[in-house]
Amino acid sequence: MNKKQRRWRNRIVAAIAIFAAIMVVDKTGLLARAFGGAAAYVAFALYLVPFLISGHDVLAKAARNIRRGEAFDEAFLMTVATIGAFATILFPDTESQAAEGCAVMLFYQVGELFQSYAVGKSRKSISEMMDIAPDYANVERDGELVEVDPDEVAVGDVIVVKPGERVPIDGVVVEGSSQLDTAALTGESIPRHVEAGADVISGCINMTGMLHVRTTKPFGESTVSRILELVENASEKKAKTESFITRFARVYTPVVVFAALALAVIPPLLGMGAWTDWVMRGLTFLVVSCPCALVISVPLSFFGGIGGASRIGVLVKGSNYLELLSKVDTVVFDKTGTLTSGTFNVVAVHPEAGVDPDYVLSNAAYAEAFSDHPIAVSLRAAYSGTIDQSRIADVREESGHGVSAHVDDHVVLVGNDRLMEEYGTRWHDCDLTGTILHVTVDGAYVGHIVIADVVKEDAEAAIRDLHAAGVRRCVMLSGDRRDVAEAVGKRLGLDEVHAQLLPEDKVSEVERLLANEAEGRRLAFVGDGINDAPVLMRADVGIAMGAMGSDAAIEAADVVLMDDHPSKIARAMRAARKTMRIVWQNIVFALGVKILILVLAAVGVANMWLAVFGDVGVAMIAILNAMRAMRVDR
């Protein structure tokens, strides 16, 4: 609770204490014995004290809004209702309602304070995300570390990140090794090891060793800046349900004000009863009709849902996307980098009879020693020895089919079946699914190496969880060979697999799937956010995977997963559906109770105390319910 809220709370507590003391004196008859016939006027004056202490700001707000021509809000409703209750002192033939008028204002303010606390609490998970903003960056000048504003650091400068500090700007480690806490970005508690050559992103906490980092982006374009911008703008994109409630309140409030006025004036003019009776019914009607339970709890539910999702490393760009996510029944995945790691690994070495597997692998690694292709990198990573580049000569790319090189004066060929056919070499295929690299030495076939893009550890569980969450179809789109894509699809339990697609083919495939979507259901596309940007934007909900440091992902997607775990998608969908259930629970509960008490008020059954429950009580229950949206299991 902040300083302003504490002052507000203290004022209300003081007003309640004074009100309780006055009620004791009033209801026990002490005032009547002390002042006789003037007791009602004394009580009126006494109740006015806690009323003004607790509600002066509400009265002032109502007056300001009336001057601006924006009269119809809850402050206006409370002001008219409470002043009307106090005004019953002008009708000597009826009992004064000053106590009830004071109680309405007190409980209204209690509800407003509770609402303020609830909003503050729901913002906490968002504000924790905002804490990732660095205050400074350490730059070495004249042998000393100087703290400078991150905006002052240019691309290519080397900054120093000490243990316990946040990485202020994206970059590459040039010296040192450490563990990075990425929990604020990804929701993951397991630290990430980094050393020289590793990419680091802003917002992570350096846990152990000192790091020297060469910056790769200006601060304004770094991951932390993009995320903060995303979070700050999330509240601007409202869901249809939220927008409807806002429009509903604008129409609803003036309608109930004029209905209350008609209820207070028309029946007594027609001789249907005393003025005081109908005026009290109109005032009670006004108190009950206050729409704060709806206009507060519905946005609070969405805000809580967005905040809860951020705690598990899922950033939702607005409540409109949270609502759409709750209706998804088809999830379309890109393969590489989404369901697979996007990095190639050697999964098997199959030598010919009498040939050592290490001989096959070492020759392939030497032949590919100078290539930056992912396949070449995977070969060198699989080879346990150190490559002596002086043993290599005459390296030549073979028209996109492979490579040839002289290794210790032996001619080594490494490539696909077309390369073998080009050189007239006899070879044989492999039963394993993946990229097959055939290896020959001096024209003799020595074996082949199988390289595959590794399926992510939680990919199978992600598909299973999505089906369990009610997703009807899980589809994979891939530019890879059909046999490779189908093998991945079969292993993961996907419903459809479409392979050998160009980027424009993926858009066409998503268009086809969208055309077949049932009414009211939505399609989500999950990609890496870089080469999948057109499809991410075309889908009902675009979800970017592994977006730590990916500008394109943050720009193109509606939902951003801050790590590489596809299992987060089902958790995000469950959070979205939970939020929507809470939203509709609050709408039905608030409208149902209010309509019931409004009817009772119109027929004269409901009194002002029941009206207080119909307003403040319903609002507090709805707010408590809305706060459940913040709780998302990690």
Side-chain angles (χ1 to χ4, degrees):
M1 189 173 281
N2 58 38
K3 190 174 181 181
K4 180 182 177 182
Q5 287 176 326
R6 284 196 296 273
R7 285 201 303 267
W8 189 5
R9 177 200 62 192
N10 295 340
R11 176 162 58 90
I12 293 172
V13 169
I16 289 174
I18 296 169
F19 173 75
I22 296 169
M23 275 207 79
V24 169
V25 175
D26 184 19
K27 299 304 179 182
T28 56
L30 290 176
L31 280 182
R33 287 198 293 274
F35 295 98
Y41 297 100
V42 174
F44 172 88
L46 290 175
Y47 282 122
L48 205 56
V49 175
F51 173 76
L52 292 174
I53 290 174
S54 64
H56 65 84
D57 53 339
V58 178
L59 302 177
K61 181 182 177 183
R64 283 196 305 271
N65 289 348
I66 290 170
R67 286 198 301 271
R68 293 173 185 161
E70 302 170 358
F72 298 112
D73 64 356
E74 58 265 29
F76 175 77
L77 296 181
M78 286 298 110
T79 299
V80 172
T82 53
I83 290 177
F86 272 91
T88 54
I89 192 71
L90 301 174
F91 300 90
D93 57 333
T94 189
E95 185 180 352
S96 173
Q97 299 291 320
E100 285 80 352
C102 183
V104 167
M105 183 60 76
L106 278 170
F107 286 116
Y108 171 73
Q109 285 285 59
V110 168
E112 289 290 292
L113 178 62
F114 185 75
Q115 165 207 315
S116 175
Y117 171 76
V119 170
K121 192 167 180 63
S122 72
R123 285 182 182 272
K124 190 174 181 182
S125 54
I126 297 291
S127 65
E128 286 173 357
M129 180 69 73
M130 306 304 272
D131 286 340
I132 64 177
D135 298 319
Y136 60 88
N138 296 314
V139 178
E140 196 168 333
R141 290 177 181 168
D142 300 324
E144 293 185 359
L145 288 183
V146 180
E147 293 182 1
V148 301
D149 191 292
D151 280 318
E152 296 177 18
V153 179
V155 175
D157 285 353
V158 175
I159 59 174
V160 178
V161 186
K162 293 183 283 188
E165 293 182 334
R166 288 192 184 275
V167 178
I169 306 170
D170 296 3
V172 178
V173 177
V174 293
E175 183 182 335
S177 64
S178 183
Q179 301 287 323
L180 290 185
D181 178 0
T182 64
L185 298 177
T186 68
E188 294 297 318
S189 58
I190 300 174
R192 173 187 164 216
H193 176 75
V194 293
E195 55 190 23
D199 292 328
V200 294
I201 61 168
S202 49
C204 298
I205 299 175
N206 182 21
M207 298 175 65
T208 51
M210 184 177 290
L211 296 174
H212 288 70
V213 178
R214 187 177 303 281
T215 61
T216 55
K217 294 179 184 177
F219 175 68
E221 296 177 13
S222 63
T223 301
V224 67
S225 297
R226 291 297 185 92
I227 292 170
L228 295 179
E229 182 183 355
L230 172 64
V231 171
E232 287 166 355
N233 294 338
S235 60
E236 297 177 7
K237 297 174 181 176
K238 294 186 176 181
K240 287 184 179 180
T241 308
E242 188 177 355
S243 299
F244 167 75
I245 291 299
T246 304
R247 294 194 304 271
F248 172 78
R250 289 199 195 106
V251 176
Y252 167 85
T253 305
V255 167
V256 295
V257 167
F258 289 114
L261 182 64
L263 185 64
V265 173
I266 295 175
L269 285 176
L270 298 176
M272 296 172 62
W275 276 93
T276 52
D277 178 39
W278 287 103
V279 167
M280 281 309 301
R281 292 190 194 188
L283 294 174
T284 304
F285 192 93
L286 268 185
V287 173
V288 181
S289 64
C290 184
C292 50
L294 286 176
V295 298
I296 295 302
S297 68
V298 170
L300 183 61
S301 300
F302 281 113
F303 197 78
I306 292 172
S310 74
R311 292 177 60 206
I312 60 169
V314 179
L315 299 182
V316 183
K317 285 190 175 181
S319 57
N320 53 337
Y321 302 121
L322 200 69
E323 185 172 32
L324 288 171
L325 191 60
S326 72
K327 299 176 180 178
V328 166
D329 77 333
T330 299
V331 179
V332 182
F333 293 89
D334 176 55
K335 180 179 79 70
T336 306
T338 302
L339 294 174
T340 63
S341 64
T343 57
F344 290 93
N345 289 331
V346 172
V347 295
V349 178
H350 292 165
E352 291 296 275
V355 178
D356 186 348
D358 192 57
Y359 179 75
V360 178
L361 184 59
S362 64
N363 275 285
Y366 267 84
E368 296 277 14
F370 298 105
S371 174
D372 291 327
H373 192 280
I375 288 177
V377 173
S378 68
L379 284 172
R380 294 198 298 271
Y383 176 56
S384 58
T386 302
I387 295 177
D388 180 1
Q389 295 184 356
S390 64
R391 295 170 55 192
I392 310 167
D394 297 331
V395 179
R396 187 170 70 244
E397 291 288 337
E398 296 287 346
S399 62
H401 300 321
V403 65
S404 66
H406 284 75
V407 180
D408 292 337
D409 296 326
H410 296 286
V411 179
V412 178
L413 292 178
V414 181
N416 57 23
D417 50 1
R418 292 181 184 176
L419 182 67
M420 297 297 104
E421 290 169 357
E422 185 178 326
Y423 278 83
T425 304
R426 302 183 70 176
W427 56 278
H428 59 83
D429 211 343
C430 182
D431 294 334
L432 296 181
T433 301
T435 299
I436 311 299
L437 293 179
H438 302 286
V439 182
T440 69
V441 178
D442 293 331
Y445 188 71
V446 296
H448 58 259
I449 300 168
V450 184
I451 294 177
D453 188 4
V454 180
V455 172
K456 290 182 180 177
E457 289 181 4
D458 66 334
E460 188 174 351
I463 303 303
R464 188 169 59 247
D465 289 348
L466 285 169
H467 281 135
V471 171
R472 186 169 53 89
R473 286 187 299 178
C474 288
V475 182
M476 187 178 77
L477 308 181
S478 175
D480 212 337
R481 294 202 331 258
R482 188 170 304 281
D483 60 329
V484 174
E486 288 178 351
V488 172
K490 184 176 180 180
R491 176 178 171 183
L492 298 183
L494 292 161
D495 301 297
E496 295 180 30
V497 174
H498 303 277
Q500 295 175 304
L501 301 175
L502 296 172
E504 56 267 29
D505 298 329
K506 292 182 181 181
V507 176
S508 301
E509 199 61 44
V510 166
E511 294 277 7
R512 182 187 66 80
L513 292 166
L514 282 168
N516 294 329
E517 276 295 291
E519 183 69 29
R521 308 312 297 171
R522 295 291 181 262
L523 178 145
F525 179 82
V526 189
D528 62 14
I530 300 171
N531 51 11
D532 293 315
V535 204
L536 282 167
M537 290 187 283
R538 179 61 191 92
D540 294 318
V541 183
I543 303 174
M545 288 287 302
M548 291 177 64
S550 171
D551 295 341
I554 293 176
E555 291 295 334
D558 308 315
V559 178
V560 180
L561 308 188
M562 295 307 296
D563 56 26
D564 283 318
H565 301 313
S567 55
K568 290 275 182 78
I569 301 167
R571 296 173 70 187
M573 288 180 61
R574 285 196 295 270
R577 289 173 180 175
K578 177 182 178 181
T579 300
M580 292 309 301
R581 283 197 303 272
I582 290 171
V583 165
W584 283 105
Q585 285 167 5
N586 283 341
I587 291 172
V588 172
F589 171 71
L591 286 179
V593 173
K594 282 187 178 292
I595 290 170
L596 175 62
I597 300 179
L598 284 172
V599 172
L600 295 177
V603 299
V605 175
N607 58 20
M608 193 66 81
W609 293 107
L610 186 57
V612 169
F613 169 75
D615 174 41
V616 180
V618 168
M620 291 178 74
I621 292 170
I623 289 168
L624 279 171
N625 193 38
M627 290 174 71
R628 292 194 302 115
M630 290 185 290
R631 292 200 296 272
V632 177
D633 295 334
R634 283 185 178 269

